[in-house]
Amino acid sequence: RRISCPSHEFDPWFNYRATEYLYHNGWQRFCTWFDYQSWYPLGRPVGTTIYPGLQVTAVFLKNHLFPHLSLNDVCCTMPAWCGAVASAFVGLLAHEGATAGRRGQHPYAAPECGVAAAAVMAVVPAHLKRSMGGAFDNESLALAALTGTCYLWVRSLRNKRSWGGGAAAGLLYWYMVAAWGGYVFVLNVVGCHAGALVLLGRYSTGVYRSYSLFYVVGTGLAMYTLPVVGWTPLKSLEQMGPL
């Protein structure tokens, strides 16, 4: 007899219940769902208190990529897939940084840096804890989006013509906001990096355009589409620096 993958306790169970509700009832009902079984006895207005990226991604994978798998199996194995994606993005980020540092010597001088960084990311205990099968939690998806955002941001600074990559970084940042409340960390990291470039005399119109695209696209979409975010980016003190 076939045995399904088990989800871990606590948050992964709620996330699976929320995914199941979205799968069976659709987005509109999910946004107005009041869950009487959570935060008992008060209940929880799920649509305005959840970061829905995890649930939306799982339902998308189930409907379009893995219709032959059960929803439970998709949810339980998704963290491992996200862990592989995060490791790949870390490798790309390291390769991009190393290539920029050694530019002019050899265009393919840094693949070993990318491979080493991806290998380390793949075995870091903190990452393994969030990317093992059954750990269906927001962090598992957010780590992949976080590393991807950082890579696309650095990639957008490669040369004077690559600033359009800031829009791609903003889109992936929006995806991360939809997945995890720790998005403030990524916003401040990118903002600090841009500020450091200015202080070190590396400012250019490319940096300005790339950062403007990143902030406007990412923050604008998050404010417009995610009720749990709302006007927070313009009111929260910890997000004033990047603004």
Side-chain angles (χ1 to χ4, degrees), residues 17 20-21 28 34 95 105-106 113 128 148 191-192 227 237 241:
R17 279 184 58 249
E20 198 173 37
Y21 189 93
Q28 293 299 326
F34 191 90
H95 180 271
Q105 298 181 28
H106 196 286
C113 295
L128 287 174
C192 287
L237 183 62

Side-chain angles (χ1 to χ4, degrees), residues 131-145:
S131 60
M132 66 177 67
F136 186 60
D137 210 348
N138 297 75
E139 291 87 346
S140 61
L141 177 62
L143 281 172

Side-chain angles (χ1 to χ4, degrees), residues 155-166 204-207 209-210:
R155 175 63 180 82
S156 72
L157 305 177
R158 174 180 289 184
N159 53 51
K160 295 180 180 180
R161 300 183 299 274
S162 60
W163 56 267
S204 66
T205 55
V207 173
R209 291 172 178 175
S210 180

